[in-house]
């Protein structure tokens, strides 16, 4: 029988050899805890993220735009479901995760505490928010937990369509009337900084990065991913003639990176402590709808129990 120390040594060696950890494998409690925290936060973000966009389904400017937006929102719900299922393989139930969300013990992404005020915000969410999400998630395809890594592969395929639909909206508006250009710029001004905050605090203040990178849960640090997103997105902004709201931003020829002004981390802290513009609205809506959906969950459960009973009778007869 191996000691805890020996098990940990084997686990570390296994991670080092780029093998995936699977649900029934032994893992340190802290690894399990971190994985549950990140997976459940990620799942909650996908589901809460449906709210700002859902607000625009009935006001989409054309049938084409409405169909695309509906498909995107539905995808986000699906991502939430894969991620809740992946988290459940670690021994936590969906009900527990939802309870932690409702009692503010679990977080969801800071970005979804901002309002979607105009149609251009739908463009900005797709371009910037999905754009940031995809940079993070491409890296997470190589995460060490098997079910998370596999969910990420599928999610990334869909996110790339989401990013393109947002960029298409922004491109169309930037080629439109003066008012449309103004709306697109206004959305850019409001979503740029919050989308940079999505990557989390700077590396030197990030509580979990060091251990998560040792365990290959995170493959790259918050700052590295944030910089990758900045470099990609600034070029895309220039291409459609939209201004990045950062007067001091400059291109560093020697590093080949765009350097930005300092991020307002106080705003980030406020938002993740429940004081963002929409925290209360997002959570209370989720709680209300979850209560309203109780009968659906019960009916689905009763149906599936009935199916199982019928199957059992079929095999015993
Ligand atoms: N918001 O030590 P770190 C999407 C917290 S999906 C809120 O750096 P970590 C799709 C962090 O939890 C977007 N809290 O933490 C879509 C920790 O607090 P805790 C979601 C944040 O975990 C698009 C503390 O700060 N994506 O957008 C945030 O190592 C459009 C210290 O931070 C994911 O969740 C934040 N932004 O790194 C849907 C990706 N950042 O838990 C609909 C998976 C940090 O100790 C429409 N997650 N915190 O109380 C990750 O990659 C990581 O968890 C990070 C944070 C990078 C987010």
């Amino acid at each position: 029988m191996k000691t805890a120390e020996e098990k940990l040594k084997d686990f570390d060696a296994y991670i080092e050899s780029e093998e995936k950890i699977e649900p029934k494998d032994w893992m340190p409690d802290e690894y399990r805890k971190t994985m549950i925290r990140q997976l459940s936060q990620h799942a909650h973000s996908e589901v809460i993220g449906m709210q700002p966009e859902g607000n625009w389904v009935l006001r989409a400017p054309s049938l084409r735009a409405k169909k695309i937006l509906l498909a995107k929102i539905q995808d986000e719900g699906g991502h939430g479901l894969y991620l809740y299922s992946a988290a459940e393989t670690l021994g936590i139930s969906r009900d527990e995760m939802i309870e932690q969300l409702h009692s503010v013990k679990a977080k969801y992404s800071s970005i979804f505490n901002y309002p979607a005020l105009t149609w251009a915000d739908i463009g900005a969410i797709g371009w910037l928010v999905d754009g940031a999400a995809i940079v993070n998630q491409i890296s997470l395809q190589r995460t060490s937990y098997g079910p998370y890594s596999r969910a990420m592969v599928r999610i990334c395929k869909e996110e790339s369509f989401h990013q393109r639909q947002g960029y298409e909206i922004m491109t169309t508006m930037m080629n439109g009337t003066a008012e449309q250009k103004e709306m697109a710029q206004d959305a850019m001004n409001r979503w740029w900084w919050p989308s940079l905050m999505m990557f989390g605090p700077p590396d030197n203040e990030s509580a979990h990065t060091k251990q998560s990178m040792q365990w290959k849960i995170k493959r790259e640090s918050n700052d590295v991913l944030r910089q990758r997103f900045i470099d990609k997105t600034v070029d895309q902004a220039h291409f459609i003639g939209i201004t990045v709201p950062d007067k001091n931003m400059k291109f560093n020829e020697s590093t080949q990176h765009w350097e930005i002004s300092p991020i307002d981390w106080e705003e980030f802290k406020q938002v993740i402590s429940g004081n963002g513009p929409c925290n209360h609205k997002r959570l209370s809506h989720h709680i209300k709808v979850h209560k309203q959906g109780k009968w659906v969950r019960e009916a689905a459960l009763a149906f599936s129990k009935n199916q199982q009973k019928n199957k059992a009778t079929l095999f015993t007869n």
Side-chain angles (χ1 to χ4, degrees):
M1 180 86 168
K2 287 191 174 171
T3 64
E5 212 174 298
E6 285 165 337
K7 283 185 191 165
L8 187 60
K9 217 171 141 206
D10 287 353
F11 179 83
D12 287 341
Y14 200 66
I15 296 264
E16 208 41 51
S17 64
E18 292 289 333
E19 295 290 340
K20 297 288 176 220
I21 305 300
E22 296 299 338
K24 293 200 170 121
D25 293 343
W26 182 89
M27 61 187 90
D29 289 345
E30 264 312 302
Y31 179 93
R32 188 183 297 276
K33 220 173 106 191
T34 304
M35 225 39 265
I36 290 177
R37 180 185 60 82
Q38 183 163 327
L39 267 166
S40 80
Q41 272 186 24
H42 195 163
H44 296 326
S45 305
E46 300 280 357
V47 171
I48 297 276
M50 295 163 82
Q51 290 187 37
E53 294 184 316
N55 187 30
W56 279 91
V57 172
L58 297 179
R59 293 178 285 169
S62 66
L63 182 58
R64 178 180 180 271
K66 190 192 292 253
K67 282 196 295 191
I68 294 173
L69 182 60
L70 262 178
K72 177 190 189 299
I73 298 171
Q74 210 168 6
D75 284 352
E76 307 299 2
H79 298 171
L81 297 187
Y82 311 150
L83 292 164
Y84 283 128
S85 300
E88 281 179 311
T89 64
L90 290 155
I92 186 166
S93 72
R94 182 97 52 104
D95 285 345
E96 279 174 274
M97 287 184 268
I98 302 290
E99 196 286 316
Q100 289 174 0
L101 172 71
H102 290 176
S103 59
V104 204
K105 284 186 205 116
K107 292 189 168 73
Y108 58 87
S109 182
S110 49
I111 194 74
F112 301 118
N113 292 308
Y114 292 86
L117 302 177
T118 71
W119 176 251
D121 288 36
I122 297 304
I125 293 175
W127 176 36
L128 302 175
V129 177
D130 285 279
I134 200 169
V135 167
N136 174 288
Q137 290 169 350
I138 284 174
S139 179
L140 285 173
Q141 290 181 133
R142 293 185 299 119
T143 189
S144 55
Y145 189 54
Y148 194 17
S149 157
R150 291 188 286 273
M152 279 299 113
V153 173
R154 181 156 177 194
I155 289 176
C156 279
K157 292 198 174 116
E158 294 176 351
E159 295 292 19
S160 81
F161 147 70
H162 297 170
Q163 192 270 353
R164 277 180 224 161
Q165 69 82 36
Y167 193 53
E168 186 196 72
I169 293 175
M170 295 307 259
T171 309
T172 307
M173 293 190 89
M174 288 308 290
N175 284 322
T177 63
E179 281 102 326
Q180 285 169 327
K181 282 185 194 165
E182 210 177 291
M183 271 169 75
Q185 186 62 59
D186 174 58
M188 173 66 164
N189 296 348
R190 286 181 289 106
W191 288 90
W192 172 250
W193 293 104
S195 68
L196 302 185
M197 294 174 197
M198 282 175 73
F199 295 91
D203 292 351
N204 58 1
E205 289 174 29
S206 159
H208 305 293
T209 295
K210 190 163 174 261
Q211 180 62 81
S212 287
M213 286 190 66
Q214 268 165 11
W215 277 331
K216 301 188 197 289
I217 290 173
K218 282 166 88 164
R219 302 305 305 244
E220 285 161 300
S221 76
N222 300 358
D223 287 335
V224 165
L225 293 171
R226 184 171 13 253
Q227 187 62 52
R228 186 168 305 147
F229 171 71
I230 292 168
D231 291 337
K232 273 182 184 210
T233 313
V234 170
D235 290 347
Q236 290 166 0
H238 290 161
F239 188 73
I240 59 170
I242 202 162
T243 305
V244 177
D246 181 356
K247 286 197 180 72
N248 299 320
M249 188 180 71
K250 56 178 188 300
F251 190 68
N252 182 327
E253 286 293 344
S254 62
T255 61
Q256 292 288 301
H257 289 305
W258 284 98
E259 288 174 359
I260 59 159
S261 303
I263 293 174
D264 180 0
W265 290 112
E266 187 46 41
E267 175 179 324
F268 173 75
K269 281 180 198 148
Q270 286 299 325
V271 173
I272 67 168
S273 327
N275 304 319
C278 298
N279 294 59
H280 177 70
K281 189 174 174 188
R282 300 289 182 244
L283 205 55
S284 56
H285 182 74
H286 194 283
I287 293 170
K288 186 181 97 188
V289 170
H290 189 70
K291 274 190 196 144
Q292 284 171 348
K294 187 166 179 270
W295 71 270
V296 180
R297 292 191 295 280
E298 284 170 356
L301 213 59
F303 178 75
S304 101
K305 272 190 191 146
N306 207 22
Q307 291 276 86
Q308 276 165 10
K309 213 168 88 194
N310 287 347
K311 216 189 246 173
T313 326
L314 194 73
F315 288 123
T316 46
N317 284 344

